[in-house]
Amino acid sequence: MTNPLSLLYRDEHLVAVHKPAGLLVHRSKLAGGEREFLLQRLRDQLGQRVYPVHRLDRPTSGVMVFALNSDIAARLGEIFTERRAAKRYLAVVRGVGPAQEWLDYALREEDGSRPKAEMPALEALTEVKRLDSVELPVQVDRYPSSRYSLMEVRPLTGRRHQIRRHLSRRGYPIIGDAKHGKGNHNRFFAERLGCPRLLLAAVGLSFEHPVTGRCLTLSCSLDAPMTALFQHFGWAGHLPTDQAGCSEAPLSLA
């Protein structure tokens, strides 16, 4: 029996849920032979229709919001499309990442409809900040020790795979990224550290509630493998918790 999804917030208009890593949000051309999707699981758990208003990549875990009717879905869709939602991610990357930096690399769409080289380059902006780092006395690559960093990531735009592509291009690929990372580090984390997944999690989301007008702020904890890794690396102080709160203060996207 599948475990119930963890609900972070619910009212009569919308619901926020912790999406597990490896679970597709809904059926698409990428689904292949998959039979389980977040949309259907949440619908069955709540006993009502739900409407997706933004996306998370299949290997990424974390907070996702669904509308509970089509009118709210349209309003929330505008909020996300117009970049009026503040998003916070945590990522574990190879190397000692930059202390704080804006990554401003235009990205071509990767939708598979035509060769990427023929797609227009679109503005993409991501703020990254190193929260912590660790050096392990283990030779994974050509050096006798291996260094990894915990990065806080705040994307201003929402291009496909933006965070993964930006960090990789800057020279700090996310661990577990099969396409943009490096296999030996990915295997080390999977086989030696119990993390056979992309180490990217959407841990925070803030936006103006489409009905009340108040700022809804959501925080999402990490799953068991990432939590254990943080504790092993001495990063427990950076572990997020499940929280939801509303305030009258205007949302700041800075």
Side-chain angles (χ1 to χ4, degrees):
M1 181 177 177
T2 303
N3 291 328
L5 295 164
S6 173
L7 302 185
L8 304 169
Y9 176 85
R10 183 182 181 185
D11 61 25
E12 61 184 303
H13 308 291
L14 58 89
V15 61
V17 62
H18 182 168
K19 183 190 94 66
L23 184 64
L24 283 165
V25 175
H26 50 70
R27 294 183 186 277
S28 71
K29 59 187 178 183
L30 303 175
E34 291 294 321
R35 297 184 178 181
E36 190 174 55
F37 304 91
L38 179 63
L39 187 71
Q40 282 73 29
R41 279 184 58 179
L42 184 58
R43 177 199 62 197
D44 294 345
Q45 183 171 322
L46 300 182
Q48 67 178 106
R49 285 193 67 180
V50 295
Y51 301 77
V53 295
H54 65 120
R55 70 188 183 206
L56 278 183
D57 295 338
R58 176 178 181 169
T60 304
S61 64
V63 58
M64 278 205 73
V65 170
F66 290 83
L68 297 180
N69 63 63
S70 57
D71 177 59
I72 296 299
R75 296 194 217 176
L76 283 171
E78 288 182 3
I79 288 173
F80 282 90
T81 300
E82 295 172 3
R83 305 176 187 174
R84 292 188 282 125
K87 304 172 184 178
R88 178 177 182 259
Y89 291 75
L90 291 178
V92 180
V93 306
R94 194 180 83 223
V96 178
Q100 187 166 10
E101 194 170 314
W102 282 97
L103 305 183
D104 184 6
Y105 306 127
L107 297 174
R108 298 184 188 277
E109 191 58 273
E110 293 181 326
D111 63 359
S113 62
R114 52 180 169 152
K116 191 169 73 170
E118 297 179 6
M119 303 293 277
L122 304 174
E123 176 196 24
L125 189 61
T126 308
E127 182 184 20
V128 298
K129 178 182 179 181
R130 186 179 72 248
L131 300 180
D132 221 325
S133 60
V134 66
E135 184 166 354
L136 305 181
V138 179
Q139 182 168 357
V140 177
D141 211 328
R142 59 191 177 196
Y143 302 107
S145 61
S146 303
R147 299 189 294 181
Y148 304 98
S149 297
L150 171 61
M151 304 298 295
E152 177 184 73
V153 185
R154 297 179 184 272
L156 184 61
T157 53
R159 308 305 177 198
R160 187 181 297 273
H161 300 163
Q162 174 175 318
I163 296 173
R164 295 157 66 179
R165 295 166 71 187
H166 267 183
L167 281 168
S168 176
R169 180 164 175 177
R170 181 62 178 81
Y172 304 98
I174 299 175
I175 299 299
D177 189 340
K179 183 173 183 180
H180 304 101
K182 199 164 184 180
N184 51 356
H185 292 275
N186 296 346
R187 287 190 296 273
F188 172 69
F189 273 74
E191 298 168 4
R192 300 279 297 278
L193 297 173
C195 281
R197 55 155 293 189
L198 177 73
L199 296 184
L200 175 65
V203 298
L205 184 60
S206 299
F207 57 92
E208 183 180 290
H209 192 290
V211 176
T212 68
R214 303 181 73 192
C215 178
L216 177 59
T217 299
L218 305 165
S219 173
C220 183
S221 60
L222 302 178
D223 61 14
M226 284 192 74
T227 297
L229 182 77
F230 276 42
Q231 292 169 340
H232 179 67
F233 281 176
W235 297 347
H238 299 291
L239 284 169
T241 57
D242 290 342
Q243 294 184 43
C246 292
S247 69
E248 299 295 346
L251 173 63
S252 172
L253 297 178

